[in-house]
Amino acid sequence: MRYIIIGAGAVGGAIGGRLHEAGHEVVLVARGAHYAQLRDGGLRLRTPDASLTLPIPAADRPETVSLRPDDVLVLAVKTQDSVAALDAWAGRPVEGGGTAGELLPLLCAQNGVVNERLALRRFRRVYGVCVWLPAQFLAPGIITAPCAPLTGMLHIGRFPGGTDEVAARIAADLEKAYFLAPVAPDVMRWKYAKLLSNLANAVEAVTGSASEPDAAELAARARAEGVAVLEAAGIGYASEAEQAALRGERMRLRPVPGGDPAHGSSWQSLRRGAGSIEADYLNGEIVQLGRLHGVGTPVNEALQRTANLFAREGRAPGSLAAADLLRDV
């Protein structure tokens, strides 16, 4: 199988780089300066154990990729960019007849829990991927993946549920590429668990930390709201103990020579001046479910609102004191 990585940022670049290193055929899809660097100089993948320059084919739009029946599409853009990407790829022709939406498996390797439903409107074969993969993308062409000895954990399963031979084959490829890749018939249960941990992304993005005392209180209160909302909605999620037991000692954050301190995806969006942030689909998911089920979510509402303001106005990450945000809440 050939892997088409749609959105070769931190997560997509790390997955594509590791698959290429393991001998699989990969195409990285990116935009702007990042695409130009990938095209001209390859992907620089920095890990605790090596700094690699990988000559992976790159594309900047769907029209430059001739799709084959053995292709796997890996959607790794932020959720706010999903609809545009899905619309651009679903109708693309596949060699021998048919379209990508009709024929090709699409993996949603993304945070949040709405991407699979968005994809299922356009793609017949949709797979959820629960991404536990610390990685950074701060400069064109360079991805830092600080976890070792395995790069990350990627649960994969059919959406809305179940597994199949394709999921097992993809998982086997990932297992040979420095990932733990359990095949999960209940993959969304794992994605809802990841959603709870991602509620702290906005805290880190706007205050610069999720562990300093006031920031930690915000993160804990956001998670408590999330738990209350999921329980009110009757939505199951994997426990923190289950996740930790699977990761074990196989995935530990370690220093990367020349790498920046580890920061989450929302912080990185602000640092790059992306102009958008994923808070509507992380904290905003809890806000929406809370409104549907009569559960108050004031902390997540404040985090969603503040993170979006930072993105719109181009504010630097970490430029709001956690104590000030906590007082506002």
Side-chain angles (χ1 to χ4, degrees):
M1 295 185 289
R2 180 177 66 164
Y3 291 88
I4 312 296
I5 311 295
I6 303 169
V11 168
I15 293 173
R18 284 306 205 185
L19 284 169
H20 173 87
E21 185 189 4
H24 297 286
E25 197 174 356
V26 174
V27 176
L28 301 178
V29 182
R31 297 179 296 183
H34 187 42
Y35 159 70
Q37 184 60 45
L38 294 174
R39 178 196 62 202
D40 297 337
L43 173 70
R44 290 179 58 193
L45 179 62
R46 303 191 300 193
T47 75
D49 301 314
S51 181
L52 308 168
T53 299
L54 304 172
I56 306 175
D60 63 346
R61 57 190 185 278
E63 292 76 15
T64 62
V65 181
S66 296
L67 294 177
R68 308 187 318 219
D70 64 343
D71 284 339
V72 175
L73 304 182
V74 181
L75 186 65
V77 300
K78 295 291 196 304
T79 304
Q80 61 267 29
D81 299 319
S82 285
V83 169
L86 290 165
D87 286 344
W89 286 89
R92 295 301 303 158
V94 177
E95 292 177 10
T99 66
E102 294 167 338
L103 300 175
L104 300 184
L106 178 100
L107 278 62
C108 295
Q110 303 162 281
N111 288 332
V113 293
V114 303
N115 296 289
E116 289 79 7
R117 280 175 281 165
L118 295 172
L120 204 59
R121 295 173 184 268
R122 300 158 175 86
F123 283 82
R124 183 171 295 160
R125 302 166 64 194
V126 175
Y127 297 76
V129 180
C130 181
V131 177
W132 197 94
L133 200 178
Q136 290 205 136
F137 164 48
L138 297 176
I142 302 174
I143 304 297
T144 302
C147 212
L150 297 183
T151 299
M153 179 167 69
L154 304 170
H155 286 75
I156 177 172
R158 285 294 297 261
F159 181 79
T163 63
D164 59 17
E165 181 184 352
V166 171
R169 289 176 60 197
I170 294 169
D173 287 350
L174 291 169
E175 292 272 2
K176 295 174 184 175
Y178 294 93
F179 292 102
L180 180 63
V183 178
D186 56 350
V187 69
M188 296 309 295
R189 179 172 170 269
W190 293 90
K191 295 202 74 166
Y192 273 101
K194 182 70 189 315
L195 173 66
L196 290 176
S197 67
N198 285 142
L199 299 178
N201 286 22
V203 178
E204 184 201 31
V206 302
T207 73
S209 169
S211 57
E212 178 270 327
D214 288 328
E217 182 177 344
L218 282 166
R221 289 173 61 179
R223 180 183 175 86
E225 289 179 2
V227 168
V229 162
L230 294 187
E231 290 179 352
I235 296 172
Y237 56 93
S239 69
E240 291 180 287
E242 286 179 89
Q243 298 172 74
L246 268 177
R247 290 194 299 266
E249 297 296 322
R250 292 173 289 189
M251 284 160 277
R252 294 291 183 188
L253 290 172
R254 287 171 40 192
V256 175
D260 296 298
H263 288 287
S265 55
S266 296
W267 186 96
Q268 294 175 53
S269 291
L270 295 181
R271 170 70 180 273
R272 293 197 309 272
S276 66
I277 200 166
E278 57 196 337
D280 283 345
Y281 302 98
L282 301 178
N283 308 93
E285 183 72 27
I286 298 303
V287 171
Q288 182 187 60
L289 283 170
R291 290 169 180 169
L292 287 170
H293 296 279
V295 178
T297 57
V299 175
N300 282 285
E301 288 180 31
L303 291 172
Q304 178 187 7
R305 180 173 60 250
T306 306
N308 280 325
L309 179 66
F310 267 54
R312 284 196 307 271
E313 296 186 352
R315 296 190 189 182
S319 56
L320 176 65
D324 292 340
L325 183 54
L326 192 58
R327 278 195 297 271
D328 289 344
V329 172

PDB file of all heavy atoms in Angstrom, residues 243-259:
ATOM      1  N   GLN A 243      -4.693   3.674  29.083  1.00  0.00           N
ATOM      2  CA  GLN A 243      -3.749   4.269  28.146  1.00  0.00           C
ATOM      3  C   GLN A 243      -2.317   4.111  28.634  1.00  0.00           C
ATOM      4  O   GLN A 243      -1.419   3.730  27.869  1.00  0.00           O
ATOM      5  CB  GLN A 243      -4.080   5.752  27.966  1.00  0.00           C
ATOM      6  CG  GLN A 243      -5.469   6.001  27.382  1.00  0.00           C
ATOM      7  CD  GLN A 243      -5.823   7.477  27.395  1.00  0.00           C
ATOM      8  OE1 GLN A 243      -5.300   8.247  26.600  1.00  0.00           O
ATOM      9  NE2 GLN A 243      -6.698   7.881  28.303  1.00  0.00           N
ATOM     10  N   ALA A 244      -2.097   4.388  29.921  1.00  0.00           N
ATOM     11  CA  ALA A 244      -0.751   4.292  30.474  1.00  0.00           C
ATOM     12  C   ALA A 244      -0.235   2.860  30.435  1.00  0.00           C
ATOM     13  O   ALA A 244       0.952   2.614  30.173  1.00  0.00           O
ATOM     14  CB  ALA A 244      -0.737   4.828  31.897  1.00  0.00           C
ATOM     15  N   ALA A 245      -1.127   1.886  30.696  1.00  0.00           N
ATOM     16  CA  ALA A 245      -0.707   0.485  30.689  1.00  0.00           C
ATOM     17  C   ALA A 245      -0.248   0.054  29.300  1.00  0.00           C
ATOM     18  O   ALA A 245       0.724  -0.708  29.158  1.00  0.00           O
ATOM     19  CB  ALA A 245      -1.853  -0.400  31.174  1.00  0.00           C
ATOM     20  N   LEU A 246      -0.920   0.528  28.268  1.00  0.00           N
ATOM     21  CA  LEU A 246      -0.519   0.182  26.905  1.00  0.00           C
ATOM     22  C   LEU A 246       0.816   0.824  26.532  1.00  0.00           C
ATOM     23  O   LEU A 246       1.689   0.190  25.939  1.00  0.00           O
ATOM     24  CB  LEU A 246      -1.598   0.631  25.913  1.00  0.00           C
ATOM     25  CG  LEU A 246      -2.676  -0.386  25.552  1.00  0.00           C
ATOM     26  CD1 LEU A 246      -3.694   0.251  24.631  1.00  0.00           C
ATOM     27  CD2 LEU A 246      -2.067  -1.605  24.875  1.00  0.00           C
ATOM     28  N   ARG A 247       0.966   2.112  26.874  1.00  0.00           N
ATOM     29  CA  ARG A 247       2.208   2.808  26.523  1.00  0.00           C
ATOM     30  C   ARG A 247       3.393   2.219  27.277  1.00  0.00           C
ATOM     31  O   ARG A 247       4.463   2.006  26.713  1.00  0.00           O
ATOM     32  CB  ARG A 247       2.086   4.307  26.829  1.00  0.00           C
ATOM     33  CG  ARG A 247       1.154   5.055  25.921  1.00  0.00           C
ATOM     34  CD  ARG A 247       1.345   6.552  26.053  1.00  0.00           C
ATOM     35  NE  ARG A 247       1.088   7.051  27.392  1.00  0.00           N
ATOM     36  CZ  ARG A 247      -0.083   7.539  27.804  1.00  0.00           C
ATOM     37  NH1 ARG A 247      -1.109   7.572  26.968  1.00  0.00           N
ATOM     38  NH2 ARG A 247      -0.236   7.996  29.026  1.00  0.00           N
ATOM     39  N   GLY A 248       3.188   1.978  28.573  1.00  0.00           N
ATOM     40  CA  GLY A 248       4.250   1.431  29.390  1.00  0.00           C
ATOM     41  C   GLY A 248       5.531   2.242  29.280  1.00  0.00           C
ATOM     42  O   GLY A 248       5.509   3.479  29.270  1.00  0.00           O
ATOM     43  N   GLU A 249       6.637   1.542  29.196  1.00  0.00           N
ATOM     44  CA  GLU A 249       7.942   2.190  29.064  1.00  0.00           C
ATOM     45  C   GLU A 249       8.362   2.342  27.610  1.00  0.00           C
ATOM     46  O   GLU A 249       9.487   2.736  27.322  1.00  0.00           O
ATOM     47  CB  GLU A 249       9.001   1.368  29.818  1.00  0.00           C
ATOM     48  CG  GLU A 249       8.754   1.288  31.316  1.00  0.00           C
ATOM     49  CD  GLU A 249       8.847   2.653  31.981  1.00  0.00           C
ATOM     50  OE1 GLU A 249       9.715   3.458  31.589  1.00  0.00           O
ATOM     51  OE2 GLU A 249       8.028   2.919  32.884  1.00  0.00           O
ATOM     52  N   ARG A 250       7.451   2.017  26.691  1.00  0.00           N
ATOM     53  CA  ARG A 250       7.824   2.026  25.271  1.00  0.00           C
ATOM     54  C   ARG A 250       7.787   3.409  24.650  1.00  0.00           C
ATOM     55  O   ARG A 250       8.312   3.623  23.565  1.00  0.00           O
ATOM     56  CB  ARG A 250       6.900   1.086  24.490  1.00  0.00           C
ATOM     57  CG  ARG A 250       7.102  -0.374  24.851  1.00  0.00           C
ATOM     58  CD  ARG A 250       6.082  -1.276  24.214  1.00  0.00           C
ATOM     59  NE  ARG A 250       4.765  -1.120  24.807  1.00  0.00           N
ATOM     60  CZ  ARG A 250       3.725  -1.907  24.547  1.00  0.00           C
ATOM     61  NH1 ARG A 250       3.872  -2.883  23.672  1.00  0.00           N
ATOM     62  NH2 ARG A 250       2.563  -1.729  25.132  1.00  0.00           N
ATOM     63  N   MET A 251       7.134   4.356  25.325  1.00  0.00           N
ATOM     64  CA  MET A 251       7.036   5.720  24.800  1.00  0.00           C
ATOM     65  C   MET A 251       7.308   6.700  25.920  1.00  0.00           C
ATOM     66  O   MET A 251       6.462   6.941  26.774  1.00  0.00           O
ATOM     67  CB  MET A 251       5.651   5.962  24.197  1.00  0.00           C
ATOM     68  CG  MET A 251       5.455   5.325  22.842  1.00  0.00           C
ATOM     69  SD  MET A 251       3.714   5.118  22.425  1.00  0.00           S
ATOM     70  CE  MET A 251       3.347   3.595  23.280  1.00  0.00           C
ATOM     71  N   ARG A 252       8.510   7.250  25.930  1.00  0.00           N
ATOM     72  CA  ARG A 252       8.921   8.229  26.917  1.00  0.00           C
ATOM     73  C   ARG A 252       9.468   9.466  26.211  1.00  0.00           C
ATOM     74  O   ARG A 252      10.221   9.350  25.241  1.00  0.00           O
ATOM     75  CB  ARG A 252       9.991   7.650  27.841  1.00  0.00           C
ATOM     76  CG  ARG A 252       9.499   6.507  28.732  1.00  0.00           C
ATOM     77  CD  ARG A 252       8.538   7.015  29.775  1.00  0.00           C
ATOM     78  NE  ARG A 252       8.101   5.960  30.678  1.00  0.00           N
ATOM     79  CZ  ARG A 252       7.146   6.110  31.585  1.00  0.00           C
ATOM     80  NH1 ARG A 252       6.541   7.266  31.693  1.00  0.00           N
ATOM     81  NH2 ARG A 252       6.786   5.107  32.362  1.00  0.00           N
ATOM     82  N   LEU A 253       9.087  10.637  26.704  1.00  0.00           N
ATOM     83  CA  LEU A 253       9.655  11.867  26.150  1.00  0.00           C
ATOM     84  C   LEU A 253      11.124  11.952  26.521  1.00  0.00           C
ATOM     85  O   LEU A 253      11.492  11.806  27.686  1.00  0.00           O
ATOM     86  CB  LEU A 253       8.903  13.083  26.695  1.00  0.00           C
ATOM     87  CG  LEU A 253       7.471  13.276  26.192  1.00  0.00           C
ATOM     88  CD1 LEU A 253       6.787  14.403  26.953  1.00  0.00           C
ATOM     89  CD2 LEU A 253       7.459  13.564  24.697  1.00  0.00           C
ATOM     90  N   ARG A 254      11.957  12.177  25.506  1.00  0.00           N
ATOM     91  CA  ARG A 254      13.388  12.296  25.710  1.00  0.00           C
ATOM     92  C   ARG A 254      13.905  13.513  24.956  1.00  0.00           C
ATOM     93  O   ARG A 254      13.301  13.957  23.982  1.00  0.00           O
ATOM     94  CB  ARG A 254      14.104  11.034  25.205  1.00  0.00           C
ATOM     95  CG  ARG A 254      13.900   9.818  26.090  1.00  0.00           C
ATOM     96  CD  ARG A 254      14.440   8.546  25.465  1.00  0.00           C
ATOM     97  NE  ARG A 254      15.709   8.742  24.786  1.00  0.00           N
ATOM     98  CZ  ARG A 254      16.260   7.831  23.963  1.00  0.00           C
ATOM     99  NH1 ARG A 254      15.647   6.684  23.736  1.00  0.00           N
ATOM    100  NH2 ARG A 254      17.407   8.074  23.369  1.00  0.00           N
ATOM    101  N   PRO A 255      14.998  14.092  25.401  1.00  0.00           N
ATOM    102  CA  PRO A 255      15.549  15.259  24.699  1.00  0.00           C
ATOM    103  C   PRO A 255      15.930  14.910  23.261  1.00  0.00           C
ATOM    104  O   PRO A 255      16.433  13.821  22.979  1.00  0.00           O
ATOM    105  CB  PRO A 255      16.787  15.618  25.531  1.00  0.00           C
ATOM    106  CG  PRO A 255      16.570  14.970  26.858  1.00  0.00           C
ATOM    107  CD  PRO A 255      15.771  13.729  26.596  1.00  0.00           C
ATOM    108  N   VAL A 256      15.682  15.864  22.371  1.00  0.00           N
ATOM    109  CA  VAL A 256      16.087  15.733  20.975  1.00  0.00           C
ATOM    110  C   VAL A 256      17.192  16.748  20.711  1.00  0.00           C
ATOM    111  O   VAL A 256      16.972  17.950  20.919  1.00  0.00           O
ATOM    112  CB  VAL A 256      14.903  15.980  20.021  1.00  0.00           C
ATOM    113  CG1 VAL A 256      15.368  15.954  18.568  1.00  0.00           C
ATOM    114  CG2 VAL A 256      13.817  14.940  20.247  1.00  0.00           C
ATOM    115  N   PRO A 257      18.366  16.320  20.299  1.00  0.00           N
ATOM    116  CA  PRO A 257      19.456  17.276  20.041  1.00  0.00           C
ATOM    117  C   PRO A 257      19.018  18.377  19.082  1.00  0.00           C
ATOM    118  O   PRO A 257      18.510  18.111  17.993  1.00  0.00           O
ATOM    119  CB  PRO A 257      20.553  16.402  19.415  1.00  0.00           C
ATOM    120  CG  PRO A 257      20.291  15.026  19.959  1.00  0.00           C
ATOM    121  CD  PRO A 257      18.792  14.927  20.066  1.00  0.00           C
ATOM    122  N   GLY A 258      19.168  19.618  19.528  1.00  0.00           N
ATOM    123  CA  GLY A 258      18.784  20.755  18.704  1.00  0.00           C
ATOM    124  C   GLY A 258      17.304  21.029  18.665  1.00  0.00           C
ATOM    125  O   GLY A 258      16.858  21.967  17.987  1.00  0.00           O
ATOM    126  N   GLY A 259      16.506  20.239  19.405  1.00  0.00           N
ATOM    127  CA  GLY A 259      15.053  20.411  19.381  1.00  0.00           C
ATOM    128  C   GLY A 259      14.578  21.456  20.369  1.00  0.00           C
ATOM    129  O   GLY A 259      15.265  21.802  21.331  1.00  0.00           O
TER     130      GLY A 259
END
